[in-house]
Amino acid sequence: MTTSSSASPADPPVLGVLLDVHPLRSQTFVTTELRELAALGHRIHVEATRRGDHEPEPIPGVTVRWRQDDVAVSRGSALPLLVGRPRATVADRVARQRWRRGEAVPPLRELLEPLARLQAAGVEHLHAHFAAGAALDALRLARLLRVPWSVTAHAYDIYQRPENLAEKLRDAAFSTSGCDYTVADLRRIAGPGHADRVHRIVMGVDAATFRRTRPLPGGRRVVAVGRLVEKKGFAHLLEAAAILERQGQGLEQLVIVGDGPLRAALEARAAELLPTGRYRFLGAQDAATVRGVLDRADLLAMPCVVAADGDRDSMPVVVKEALAMELLVVASDEVGLPEIVRPPAGTLVAPGDPAALAQGLAAALALGPDARAAAGAAGRELVLREADAAAEAAKLSQLVLDAR
């Protein structure tokens, strides 16, 4: 390991965090976690394969580099790092043949510059977000650096593209996921002897940031936030809004925040089903804009479903953000949502059922001001108790310490 001889066992280890793409507006939980880990005293070096859709937030103690920027760099400058590691290098070459049966595997030369940077940063533990390419990079780099590594698996990397997942779980010092639903499946995949190294670490919320700045509006404004893909269930939400319209209980406005491959189809369907002005598609927005949208909303809808290809959510962070902002939440009884959407703040309905969703929305929006306020207070208390970003980061930090 690269642990400095001057470091004490209580010193927070220097972390290397690996990501396929960073930062993404749909992955604000990564930045939140980095901020909280840095606040705990960890120095963090982020290595991402590609740049995301905006510039990263500056966080003291956190540096970010992208492998896509290494194209013009002479990778030969890092070759000396492989001297003295012949066994790891040969083992990597042999294992590549096996890994390629499950996923694309970059040649070792593409990891040499990240390897040099991680070595120079004194990284003592590698952690990957998502169990896809970044996790395989972490596995390979950890062997070369002779440090432990870990991975947080989310959803698509478990259900849609479980690439070499069992081997990654068994090789890692530990793995985490954000809800009991996904943890149970990861433990099954890891198998006997490895299941006890899979832990539940919630993708938490900074409740000091996600809090109300104005009174609850008391209207019928419903918001949905997420990528415009099948698993979010937004097609069913449009149908539910149309049912309420026909029943004379139309929404004041349905606001959908996010972008994705289904945007054109969803916008066309909304135009067919709902009167002009009763719906808005805002596209992808930054965290501050999402907070503002939630602050003006009466209810968050999260009608998740399991997609035809098996893709699904786990426990969407925006649900916890909405609860922290004292919003009512109506969600489908699917994936990890029942673990956080609870009465009185939350209502669960059958997934993929617009009529049930419409009924749930109508019942929640029928609550008076006092009932809404009480429900909102209960939702915020639930998030503070079970999904606080600082507390969840401290759990991850302790797992890292225990892996030394």
Side-chain angles (χ1 to χ4, degrees):
M1 294 178 60
T2 60
T3 305
S4 167
S5 59
S6 64
S8 72
D11 288 335
V14 180
L15 298 178
V17 175
L18 276 71
L19 296 146
D20 292 310
V21 185
H22 179 74
L24 288 173
R25 291 187 177 92
S26 59
Q27 295 177 11
T28 55
F29 51 85
V30 173
T31 298
T32 299
E33 186 176 88
L34 292 172
R35 191 186 311 118
E36 297 297 342
L37 288 170
L40 290 169
H42 292 278
R43 286 189 294 114
I44 304 169
H45 180 81
V46 177
E47 282 285 341
T49 304
R50 301 182 304 281
R51 291 179 178 271
D53 51 21
H54 63 288
E55 288 300 308
E57 171 190 320
I59 303 173
V62 178
T63 60
V64 183
R65 293 293 294 272
W66 293 270
R67 201 161 84 208
Q68 73 178 69
D69 296 343
D70 294 341
V71 174
V73 175
S74 172
R75 294 191 175 99
S77 63
L79 282 173
L81 290 173
L82 298 183
V83 175
R85 295 173 170 85
R87 290 184 180 179
T89 304
V90 171
D92 186 271
R93 184 180 300 114
V94 171
R96 265 178 271 170
Q97 304 307 312
R98 180 178 69 256
W99 294 328
R100 282 176 181 145
R101 293 196 289 268
E103 63 188 298
V105 182
L108 188 57
R109 65 178 179 273
E110 291 190 13
L111 298 181
L112 292 183
E113 292 299 328
L115 175 65
R117 289 191 290 267
L118 292 164
Q119 174 100 336
V123 163
E124 301 165 82
H125 186 105
L126 296 182
H127 184 72
H129 260 290
F130 295 91
L136 187 60
D137 290 346
L139 183 159
R140 300 170 73 190
L141 288 165
R143 291 177 177 179
L144 293 166
L145 290 167
R146 302 185 183 120
V147 300
W149 76 282
S150 52
V151 58
T152 294
H154 292 268
Y156 87 85
D157 47 341
I158 304 172
Y159 303 104
Q160 186 185 31
R161 290 169 50 197
E163 301 165 342
N164 293 306
L165 181 55
E167 180 174 353
K168 292 168 182 174
L169 296 174
R170 293 166 186 166
D171 191 87
F174 66 86
S175 55
T176 77
S177 197
C179 61
D180 290 334
Y181 179 96
T182 49
V183 165
D185 285 329
L186 287 171
R187 287 176 175 166
R188 175 183 54 78
I189 293 167
H194 305 278
D196 61 348
R197 300 208 307 269
V198 181
H199 303 270
R200 183 181 191 261
I201 302 287
V202 174
M203 296 297 100
V205 171
D206 178 0
T209 299
F210 283 89
R211 64 186 310 149
R212 299 210 64 77
T213 63
R214 65 187 77 197
L216 291 164
R220 299 177 62 79
R221 186 182 177 90
V222 172
V223 170
V225 181
R227 291 191 67 232
L228 305 188
V229 293
E230 182 185 356
K231 68 180 180 180
K232 294 297 183 181
F234 293 161
H236 305 296
L237 178 58
L238 293 175
E239 299 286 346
I243 290 172
L244 293 175
E245 193 72 33
R246 292 194 297 270
Q247 293 174 345
Q249 303 181 74
L251 302 179
E252 179 183 339
Q253 194 169 62
L254 173 60
V255 179
I256 296 179
V257 181
D259 210 339
L262 296 184
R263 180 168 181 175
L266 290 170
E267 288 182 330
R269 187 62 175 149
E272 293 173 359
L273 292 171
L274 298 171
T276 302
R278 291 289 181 93
Y279 63 89
R280 291 181 67 198
F281 286 80
L282 299 186
Q285 300 293 333
D286 60 24
T289 301
V290 171
R291 285 198 303 273
V293 171
L294 293 175
D295 213 22
R296 295 186 293 275
D298 296 286
L299 182 149
L300 176 85
M302 184 50 66
C304 293
V305 297
V306 176
D309 63 359
D311 194 18
R312 65 197 75 182
D313 259 308
S314 54
M315 185 193 284
V317 174
V318 70
V319 171
K320 291 163 276 189
E321 292 170 345
L323 291 170
M325 295 187 70
E326 302 177 43
L327 286 187
L328 300 168
V329 174
V330 175
S332 52
D333 188 6
E334 186 58 272
V335 295
L337 286 166
E339 299 171 36
I340 197 70
V341 179
R342 307 176 200 164
T347 301
L348 293 171
V349 300
D353 186 338
L357 179 57
Q359 185 176 1
L361 293 171
L365 292 172
L367 295 175
D370 291 344
R372 290 192 189 194
R380 181 169 175 82
E381 174 58 32
L382 175 62
V383 169
L384 290 171
R385 186 174 66 249
E386 299 188 20
D388 176 70
E392 296 304 305
K395 294 177 187 177
L396 178 59
S397 179
Q398 187 60 54
L399 288 172
V400 170
L401 284 168
D402 292 343
R404 298 177 83 169

Coordinates of all heavy atoms in Angstrom, one line a residue, residues 313-354:
D313 N -34.7 1.9 -11.5 CA -34.1 2.8 -10.6 C -33.8 2.1 -9.3 O -34.2 0.9 -9.2 CB -35.0 4.0 -10.3 CG -34.6 5.3 -11.0 OD1 -33.5 5.7 -10.9 OD2 -35.5 5.9 -11.7
S314 N -33.2 2.8 -8.4 CA -33.0 2.2 -7.0 C -33.8 3.0 -6.0 O -34.9 2.6 -5.7 CB -31.5 2.1 -6.7 OG -30.9 3.4 -6.8
M315 N -33.3 4.1 -5.6 CA -34.0 5.0 -4.7 C -33.6 6.4 -5.2 O -32.7 7.0 -4.7 CB -33.6 4.8 -3.2 CG -34.4 5.7 -2.2 SD -33.6 5.7 -0.6 CE -34.1 4.1 0.0
P316 N -34.4 7.0 -6.1 CA -34.0 8.3 -6.7 C -33.7 9.4 -5.7 O -34.5 9.6 -4.8 CB -35.2 8.6 -7.6 CG -35.8 7.3 -7.9 CD -35.6 6.4 -6.7
V317 N -32.6 10.1 -5.9 CA -32.2 11.1 -4.9 C -33.2 12.2 -4.9 O -33.5 12.8 -3.8 CB -30.8 11.6 -5.3 CG1 -30.5 12.8 -4.4 CG2 -29.8 10.5 -5.1
V318 N -33.9 12.5 -6.0 CA -34.8 13.7 -6.0 C -36.0 13.4 -5.1 O -36.6 14.4 -4.5 CB -35.3 14.0 -7.5 CG1 -36.2 12.9 -8.0 CG2 -36.0 15.3 -7.5
V319 N -36.3 12.2 -4.8 CA -37.4 11.9 -3.9 C -37.0 12.3 -2.5 O -37.8 13.0 -1.8 CB -37.7 10.4 -3.9 CG1 -38.7 10.0 -2.7 CG2 -38.3 10.0 -5.2
K320 N -35.7 12.1 -2.1 CA -35.3 12.5 -0.8 C -35.1 14.0 -0.7 O -35.4 14.6 0.3 CB -33.9 11.8 -0.5 CG -34.1 10.3 -0.3 CD -32.8 9.5 -0.4 CE -32.5 9.2 -1.8 NZ -31.4 8.2 -2.0
E321 N -34.7 14.6 -1.9 CA -34.7 16.1 -1.9 C -36.0 16.7 -1.7 O -36.2 17.7 -1.0 CB -34.0 16.5 -3.2 CG -32.6 16.1 -3.3 CD -32.0 16.3 -4.7 OE1 -32.8 16.5 -5.7 OE2 -30.8 16.3 -4.9
A322 N -37.0 16.1 -2.4 CA -38.4 16.7 -2.2 C -38.9 16.5 -0.8 O -39.5 17.4 -0.3 CB -39.3 15.9 -3.2
L323 N -38.7 15.4 -0.2 CA -39.1 15.2 1.2 C -38.4 16.1 2.1 O -39.0 16.7 3.0 CB -38.8 13.7 1.6 CG -39.7 12.6 0.9 CD1 -39.1 11.2 1.3 CD2 -41.1 12.7 1.4
A324 N -37.1 16.4 1.9 CA -36.4 17.3 2.7 C -37.0 18.8 2.5 O -36.9 19.6 3.5 CB -34.9 17.4 2.3
M325 N -37.6 19.0 1.4 CA -38.2 20.3 1.2 C -39.7 20.3 1.5 O -40.5 21.2 1.2 CB -38.0 20.7 -0.3 CG -36.5 21.0 -0.6 SD -36.2 21.7 -2.2 CE -36.9 23.3 -2.0
E326 N -40.1 19.3 2.2 CA -41.4 19.2 2.8 C -42.6 19.0 1.8 O -43.7 19.5 2.0 CB -41.7 20.3 3.8 CG -40.7 20.4 4.9 CD -40.9 21.6 5.8 OE1 -42.0 21.9 6.2 OE2 -39.9 22.3 6.1
L327 N -42.2 18.4 0.6 CA -43.2 18.2 -0.4 C -43.9 16.8 -0.2 O -43.3 15.9 0.3 CB -42.6 18.2 -1.8 CG -42.1 19.5 -2.4 CD1 -41.7 19.2 -3.8 CD2 -43.2 20.5 -2.4
L328 N -45.2 16.8 -0.6 CA -45.8 15.5 -0.7 C -45.2 14.7 -1.8 O -44.7 15.3 -2.8 CB -47.3 15.7 -1.0 CG -48.2 16.5 0.0 CD1 -49.5 16.9 -0.6 CD2 -48.3 15.7 1.3
V329 N -45.1 13.4 -1.7 CA -44.6 12.5 -2.7 C -45.6 11.4 -3.1 O -46.1 10.8 -2.1 CB -43.2 12.0 -2.3 CG1 -42.7 10.9 -3.4 CG2 -42.2 13.0 -2.1
V330 N -45.8 11.2 -4.3 CA -46.6 10.1 -4.8 C -45.7 9.3 -5.7 O -45.1 9.8 -6.7 CB -47.9 10.5 -5.5 CG1 -48.6 9.2 -6.1 CG2 -48.8 11.2 -4.6
A331 N -45.4 8.0 -5.4 CA -44.5 7.2 -6.1 C -45.0 5.8 -6.3 O -46.0 5.4 -5.6 CB -43.1 7.1 -5.3
S332 N -44.4 5.1 -7.2 CA -44.8 3.7 -7.4 C -44.2 2.8 -6.4 O -43.1 3.0 -5.8 CB -44.4 3.2 -8.8 OG -43.1 3.5 -9.1
D333 N -44.9 1.7 -6.1 CA -44.5 0.7 -5.1 C -43.5 -0.2 -5.8 O -43.8 -1.4 -6.1 CB -45.7 0.0 -4.6 CG -45.4 -0.9 -3.4 OD1 -44.3 -0.9 -3.0 OD2 -46.3 -1.7 -3.0
E334 N -42.3 0.3 -6.1 CA -41.4 -0.4 -6.9 C -40.0 -0.1 -6.4 O -39.7 0.9 -5.8 CB -41.6 0.0 -8.4 CG -40.7 -0.8 -9.4 CD -41.0 -2.3 -9.3 OE1 -40.3 -3.0 -8.5 OE2 -41.8 -2.8 -10.1
V335 N -39.0 -0.9 -6.7 CA -37.6 -0.8 -6.4 C -37.4 -0.4 -5.0 O -38.1 -0.9 -4.1 CB -36.9 0.1 -7.4 CG1 -36.9 -0.6 -8.8 CG2 -37.5 1.5 -7.6
G336 N -36.5 0.6 -4.7 CA -36.3 1.0 -3.3 C -37.2 2.1 -2.8 O -37.0 2.6 -1.7
L337 N -38.2 2.5 -3.6 CA -39.0 3.6 -3.2 C -39.8 3.3 -1.9 O -40.0 4.3 -1.1 CB -40.0 4.0 -4.3 CG -39.3 4.7 -5.5 CD1 -40.2 4.7 -6.7 CD2 -39.0 6.1 -5.1
P338 N -40.3 2.1 -1.7 CA -41.1 1.9 -0.4 C -40.2 2.1 0.8 O -40.8 2.3 1.9 CB -41.5 0.4 -0.5 CG -41.6 0.2 -2.0 CD -40.4 1.0 -2.6
E339 N -38.9 2.1 0.7 CA -38.0 2.3 1.8 C -38.0 3.7 2.3 O -37.6 4.0 3.5 CB -36.6 1.8 1.5 CG -36.5 0.3 1.2 CD -35.2 -0.1 0.6 OE1 -34.2 0.5 1.1 OE2 -35.1 -0.9 -0.3
I340 N -38.4 4.7 1.5 CA -38.3 6.1 1.8 C -39.6 6.8 1.7 O -39.8 7.9 2.3 CB -37.1 6.8 1.0 CG1 -36.7 8.1 1.6 CG2 -37.5 7.0 -0.5 CD1 -36.0 8.0 2.9
V341 N -40.5 6.3 0.8 CA -41.8 7.0 0.6 C -42.8 6.3 1.6 O -43.3 5.2 1.3 CB -42.2 6.9 -0.8 CG1 -43.6 7.5 -1.0 CG2 -41.2 7.5 -1.8
R342 N -43.1 7.0 2.6 CA -43.9 6.5 3.7 C -45.0 7.5 4.1 O -44.7 8.7 4.1 CB -43.1 6.1 4.9 CG -41.9 5.2 4.6 CD -41.1 4.9 5.9 NE -39.8 4.5 5.6 CZ -38.8 4.5 6.5 NH1 -39.0 4.9 7.7 NH2 -37.6 4.0 6.1
P343 N -46.1 7.0 4.6 CA -47.1 8.0 5.1 C -46.5 8.7 6.4 O -45.7 8.2 7.1 CB -48.3 7.1 5.6 CG -48.1 5.8 4.8 CD -46.6 5.7 4.6
P344 N -46.9 9.9 6.6 CA -48.0 10.7 5.9 C -47.4 11.5 4.7 O -48.2 12.0 3.9 CB -48.5 11.7 7.0 CG -47.2 11.9 7.8 CD -46.5 10.6 7.9
A345 N -46.1 11.6 4.6 CA -45.5 12.4 3.5 C -45.6 11.7 2.2 O -45.7 12.4 1.1 CB -44.1 12.8 3.8
G346 N -45.6 10.4 2.1 CA -45.6 9.7 0.9 C -46.7 8.8 0.7 O -47.3 8.2 1.6
T347 N -47.1 8.6 -0.6 CA -48.1 7.7 -1.0 C -47.6 6.7 -2.1 O -47.0 7.2 -3.1 CB -49.3 8.4 -1.6 OG1 -49.9 9.3 -0.6 CG2 -50.4 7.4 -2.0
L348 N -47.8 5.4 -1.9 CA -47.3 4.5 -2.9 C -48.5 4.0 -3.7 O -49.6 3.7 -3.2 CB -46.6 3.3 -2.2 CG -45.3 3.6 -1.5 CD1 -44.8 2.4 -0.7 CD2 -44.2 4.0 -2.6
V349 N -48.3 3.8 -5.0 CA -49.3 3.3 -5.9 C -48.7 2.2 -6.8 O -47.5 2.0 -6.9 CB -49.9 4.4 -6.8 CG1 -50.5 5.5 -6.0 CG2 -48.9 4.9 -7.8
A350 N -49.6 1.4 -7.4 CA -49.1 0.3 -8.2 C -48.3 0.8 -9.4 O -48.7 1.8 -10.0 CB -50.3 -0.5 -8.7
P351 N -47.2 0.2 -9.7 CA -46.4 0.7 -10.9 C -47.0 0.4 -12.2 O -47.7 -0.5 -12.4 CB -45.1 -0.1 -10.8 CG -45.4 -1.3 -10.0 CD -46.5 -0.9 -9.1
G352 N -46.9 1.4 -13.2 CA -47.4 1.2 -14.5 C -48.9 1.2 -14.6 O -49.5 0.8 -15.6
D353 N -49.6 1.9 -13.6 CA -51.0 1.9 -13.6 C -51.5 3.4 -13.5 O -51.5 4.0 -12.4 CB -51.5 1.1 -12.3 CG -53.0 1.0 -12.3 OD1 -53.7 1.8 -12.9 OD2 -53.5 0.1 -11.6
P354 N -51.8 4.0 -14.6 CA -52.2 5.4 -14.6 C -53.4 5.7 -13.7 O -53.4 6.8 -13.1 CB -52.4 5.7 -16.1 CG -51.6 4.8 -16.9 CD -51.7 3.5 -16.0

